[in-house]
Amino acid sequence: MKDKRWRMVVALLVPVIGLAACQSSSASPGNGSTTGNGSTTIRIGLSASFSGATAFYGQQAKAGAEVAVGELNAKGGKYKYQLVTADDQCTPDGGSSAFGNLLDVQRVDVILGSPCSAATLGGMTLLPAAKAPALTVSSTSPAITQQAGIGGNKYMWRMNINDDVMATVFSKYIAAQGIKKIAIIAVNSDFGQGAVAAYKKTFAADAVTITTTQFYTQGGGDFRTQLTNIGASGAQAMLIIGAYQDAAVMMRQFKELGLGIRVYARGDVVSTGFQQAAGSPGLGNGIQEADNWDPSYQAYPGFAKAYWQKFHGDPQSYAVQAWLGMQVIAQAVAAGGGGLAGIERGLATVSWSSPIGPVKFDAHHQAHHDMFIMTFDHGMIKMVKRIHTAG
Amino acid sequence: MGFFLDQVVNGVILGSQYALIAAGLALIFGVAGIVNFAHGELFMVAAYALYLGESALGLPYAAAAVFTVIVMVPVGGLFYGVVIRPVAGAGWQKQLVATLAASIVMVNLAIVLAGSLPKTVSSPLAARVAVVGGVHFSLQRVLILGCTLLSFAALHMFLMRAKWGKGMRALAQNRSACAAVGIPVHRMGLLAVVIGSALAGVAGALIPVLSNITPTMGLLLTIKGFAAVIMGGFGNVTGAIVSGFALGLVEAMAMAYVSSAYADAFVFGALIVTLLLRPQGLFGHAVRVS
């Protein structure tokens, strides 16, 4: 009996230890060059979800950051870059724990992340005590902008535009296409709830009536009931707020139910990931999406090629945004020097004409790069419009 | 009326998925006496087996589906030997930790081995849509419902007619008495886990065609499956199946007529109301404790 118990313990522990080794494979602390402030090694801590239903956020962000680290180190120069990771599970508690681990144990010079607003909001409260800067490149909650910079948390920075800005621009675009009645289907999360709140305000301002608002659980897989409600609501169009994985399944069921209304999206729906998950190249034809990035890869051919060579697949939004974030950090280091204070100083001076538009932080540490309206046209991703949000 | 009918169809389809998972859970609890928190992960393994069959082995959907159910038989045996058997006689705390740990390990192993991005499988029936009485549904959904009912009928026949099935029912009633009269308790437990895994295999061979395959796809279904098992009366397979369909209908109606944001609250509210009215569950039997 004892033997069997041991066998079970070993059977359970071996994969867990293996996983732990994989998770922390990027680097380990205590190598003598980890504290910044004069060191020539810049330790970047990526806070993202690496487990559970949102693990793809972390895997993608890590892959994009790894490509950037390789490129930056290959360029040579005074500083070397090193990436370490922490799993924030996409939750406020997880964010607090991950930021704490990166600051106190891994002793990073700057935090990149989190892709999830909930984790960023949970972790950013630790930054002032550690006097450590963090740059998020994918969190879209307006609350981060409200709490960062002047009069608030001066160590939190955001490269991507937030939901308030995106909703203002995108609802005007939708209204201009003659849509008077729209239904919303959103993921039931901080991201989805926050975006719905933003669109309720902006659609009202643009005289677009929301006929119904439906929520779904991420990874749920069955959206027929919500789609039936949308079909019965008399909407001329549907706005999907969620990730491409769910949107791909949703669009299959949309076709199954014979719905013929126009589809708009907000998330990373118009992407090669959607095409792979959809299983049918034409499934997404006509969807128009407001994006933080250009998913056609024409804007960053060098990165897309390097990513392909390393990972044999297309980079998705979190990978591209992490790569862009790493470029911003490199610019901050070049301007302000290494270490916590140097990067914090440098971020304030960043003024970069990035592939997605100008990256320059305002008083609330919010950058205002361009917004992209993308669509699927005969199975191909095409840019419909590039909109300047700065000023 | 058309809208109501639409939602009834949606509820029945949703319920058939919960029922498939719940039936396996109830069988394993009834016979092996273990609450298997990793049952959803057996469904996930089956879905990846289907993907493997289609993409790596190049099998057509029908063959890949059969392959999936067959693969789940040894997987169930392995699961019993590694996770269930060592804690079969232990307290519920150890059983809970063992199956919960197995669930976490299986999900994270899938993330490491297959990645967290979704995989897709296709069936010729998925794209073919029938319209009956104004209700649109793909033929794959008809297949899911048909195979689900067929699986339950086969399971019912086995439990009622076969010698081993009768042994399982006896075991669910009184383990000590069964052991005393020479019924092989552990072999029965093994068989229950294998049948439960095969049912997860049926679910894994059918449902992923309409959604995607991800490492965490089993988590949500397991939670609803557990609700159905508790509502039906712990360990009662028929109760679990009926409750699975009932919860699917409650969820669809709550989303249709109240709010999709609170659909889960209605599902678990229905569970609580049922337990308040019938603490032993819909099909469970009350036991007088002196």
Side-chain angles (χ1 to χ4, degrees):
Chain A
M1 189 66 185
K2 262 187 179 175
D3 279 356
K4 283 176 183 166
R5 280 184 186 161
W6 273 110
R7 264 186 294 173
M8 186 186 73
V9 169
V10 170
L12 290 174
L13 281 180
V14 165
V16 170
I17 291 165
L19 285 171
C22 290
Q23 295 273 324
S24 59
S25 62
S26 305
S28 55
N31 61 5
S33 60
T34 61
T35 55
N37 296 316
S39 163
T40 55
T41 300
I42 306 294
R43 282 172 68 81
I44 293 162
L46 172 64
S47 171
S49 176
F50 291 95
S51 56
T54 49
F56 69 94
Y57 295 159
Q59 288 192 334
Q60 279 282 309
K62 184 176 174 225
E66 277 178 357
V67 171
V69 165
E71 287 172 348
L72 292 168
N73 287 339
K75 279 183 190 167
K78 184 180 172 187
Y79 295 102
K80 282 277 172 201
Y81 291 85
Q82 194 178 46
L83 184 71
V84 296
T85 61
D87 184 1
D88 62 33
Q89 296 165 2
C90 221
T91 64
D93 287 350
S96 179
S97 170
F99 273 47
N101 176 274
L102 291 170
L103 296 171
D104 300 336
V105 182
Q106 305 280 3
R107 304 195 64 79
V108 298
D109 298 280
V110 59
I111 290 174
L112 180 66
S114 162
C116 297
S117 296
T120 302
L121 286 163
M124 65 189 273
T125 54
L126 304 179
L127 300 173
K131 294 186 174 163
L135 173 70
T136 181
V137 292
S138 311
S139 296
T140 57
S141 169
I144 296 168
T145 313
Q146 289 153 13
Q147 293 174 26
I150 190 164
N153 188 331
K154 68 173 192 169
Y155 296 94
M156 189 68 227
W157 304 77
R158 171 153 57 188
M159 183 193 76
N160 60 293
I161 46 182
N162 67 39
D163 279 326
D164 273 349
V165 176
M166 295 196 85
T168 302
V169 177
F170 198 35
S171 64
K172 278 196 193 331
Y173 176 82
I174 291 170
Q177 294 204 323
I179 302 297
K180 297 285 178 204
K181 291 180 180 177
I182 194 163
I184 300 178
I185 180 163
V187 61
N188 205 355
S189 67
D190 284 352
F191 163 59
Q193 299 270 7
V196 166
Y199 280 98
K200 277 186 174 168
K201 279 188 281 183
T202 56
F203 278 137
D206 294 322
V208 178
T209 306
I210 299 173
T211 57
T212 180
T213 303
Q214 300 290 315
F215 288 97
Y216 67 87
T217 306
Q218 186 164 7
D222 199 324
F223 309 101
R224 275 180 61 100
T225 308
Q226 292 96 325
L227 292 172
T228 303
N229 290 345
I230 287 171
S233 75
Q236 296 168 277
M238 171 174 88
L239 172 63
I240 302 171
I241 299 170
Y244 72 84
Q245 292 92 331
D246 291 322
V249 178
M250 198 182 291
M251 285 309 294
R252 273 189 241 152
Q253 293 168 10
F254 178 89
K255 300 279 183 200
E256 181 187 340
L257 287 168
L259 297 177
I261 58 177
R262 213 178 278 188
V263 181
Y264 296 92
R266 171 64 200 99
D268 54 354
V269 176
V270 178
S271 61
T272 54
F274 176 93
Q275 288 168 308
Q276 287 156 13
S280 163
L283 190 68
N285 279 348
I287 297 177
Q288 294 190 61
E289 174 169 37
D291 253 320
N292 256 314
W293 65 299
D294 178 353
S296 63
Y297 307 127
Q298 287 154 2
Y300 5 76
F303 165 64
K305 190 178 170 190
Y307 191 97
W308 251 105
Q309 284 170 348
K310 193 170 168 72
F311 299 108
H312 310 292
D314 287 322
Q316 302 302 317
S317 63
Y318 298 103
V320 174
Q321 287 170 322
W323 179 81
L324 289 165
M326 289 292 295
Q327 311 306 316
V328 172
I329 289 170
Q331 297 231 352
V333 170
L340 303 171
I343 296 173
E344 174 73 13
R345 260 196 321 270
L347 281 167
T349 66
V350 166
S351 180
W352 179 38
S353 292
S354 80
I356 55 168
V359 175
K360 184 176 169 61
F361 298 99
D362 66 13
H364 282 284
H365 294 185
Q366 170 72 60
H368 301 269
H369 61 67
D370 296 342
M371 197 177 113
F372 302 84
I373 308 287
M374 310 298 298
T375 191
F376 285 118
D377 184 6
H378 295 93
M380 304 291 288
I381 296 169
K382 284 193 177 165
M383 191 195 299
V384 176
K385 200 170 182 184
R386 181 168 181 150
I387 302 166
H388 299 292
T389 66
Chain B
M1 189 60 191
F3 178 73
F4 177 77
L5 198 62
D6 263 335
Q7 299 296 9
V8 169
V9 170
N10 293 340
V12 169
I13 289 166
L14 202 57
S16 67
Q17 300 173 21
Y18 298 157
L20 266 175
I21 297 297
L25 272 170
L27 188 69
I28 292 171
F29 178 79
V31 178
I34 283 182
V35 180
N36 182 18
F37 283 95
H39 199 72
E41 280 56 59
L42 291 173
F43 165 62
M44 177 268 290
V45 170
Y48 276 104
L50 180 70
Y51 174 72
L52 194 74
E54 269 203 8
S55 61
L57 304 180
L59 299 173
Y61 172 69
V66 173
F67 167 78
T68 300
V69 179
I70 292 170
V71 161
M72 288 312 291
V73 171
V75 167
L78 184 70
F79 185 80
Y80 179 83
V82 175
V83 181
I84 305 284
R85 178 72 178 87
V87 293
W92 66 267
Q93 299 94 330
K94 287 180 183 172
Q95 294 175 351
L96 184 148
V97 171
T99 57
L100 204 55
S103 161
I104 294 167
V105 167
M106 287 164 82
V107 167
N108 285 287
L109 266 181
I111 290 173
V112 170
L113 295 175
S116 56
L117 298 179
K119 307 276 186 267
T120 55
V121 284
S122 59
S123 152
L125 296 179
R128 295 177 64 182
V129 177
V131 184
V132 179
V135 181
H136 294 62
F137 49 85
S138 80
L139 295 186
Q140 182 69 22
R141 293 193 192 275
V142 179
L143 183 71
I144 292 176
L145 198 58
C147 288
T148 302
L149 295 175
L150 207 65
S151 302
F152 293 155
L155 181 63
H156 182 75
M157 294 276 281
F158 172 77
L159 291 174
M160 301 308 282
R161 303 268 174 88
K163 183 181 162 191
W164 281 77
K166 288 176 183 169
M168 282 185 177
R169 284 166 51 214
L171 207 57
Q173 286 179 10
N174 194 325
R175 293 177 68 81
S176 308
C178 287
V181 297
I183 292 177
V185 174
H186 289 305
R187 248 184 283 170
M188 287 286 181
L190 170 64
L191 187 62
V193 173
V194 166
I195 293 173
S197 301
L199 284 173
V202 173
L206 296 168
I207 297 168
V209 173
L210 297 172
S211 56
N212 282 329
I213 299 169
T214 63
T216 53
M217 64 189 292
L219 294 174
L220 285 173
L221 268 183
T222 308
I223 293 169
K224 300 284 172 63
F226 267 119
V229 169
I230 296 166
M231 191 170 163
F234 238 112
N236 188 308
V237 177
T238 309
I241 293 167
V242 172
S243 300
F245 280 104
L247 288 180
L249 281 166
V250 167
E251 188 172 333
M253 292 304 159
M255 279 199 263
Y257 294 105
V258 189
S259 167
S260 53
Y262 305 112
D264 285 348
F266 276 90
V267 168
F268 291 101
L271 169 67
I272 291 167
V273 169
T274 306
L275 291 182
L276 284 173
L277 297 174
R278 276 185 67 84
Q280 70 273 31
L282 288 176
F283 288 74
H285 299 290
V287 177
R288 187 182 296 277
V289 179
S290 59

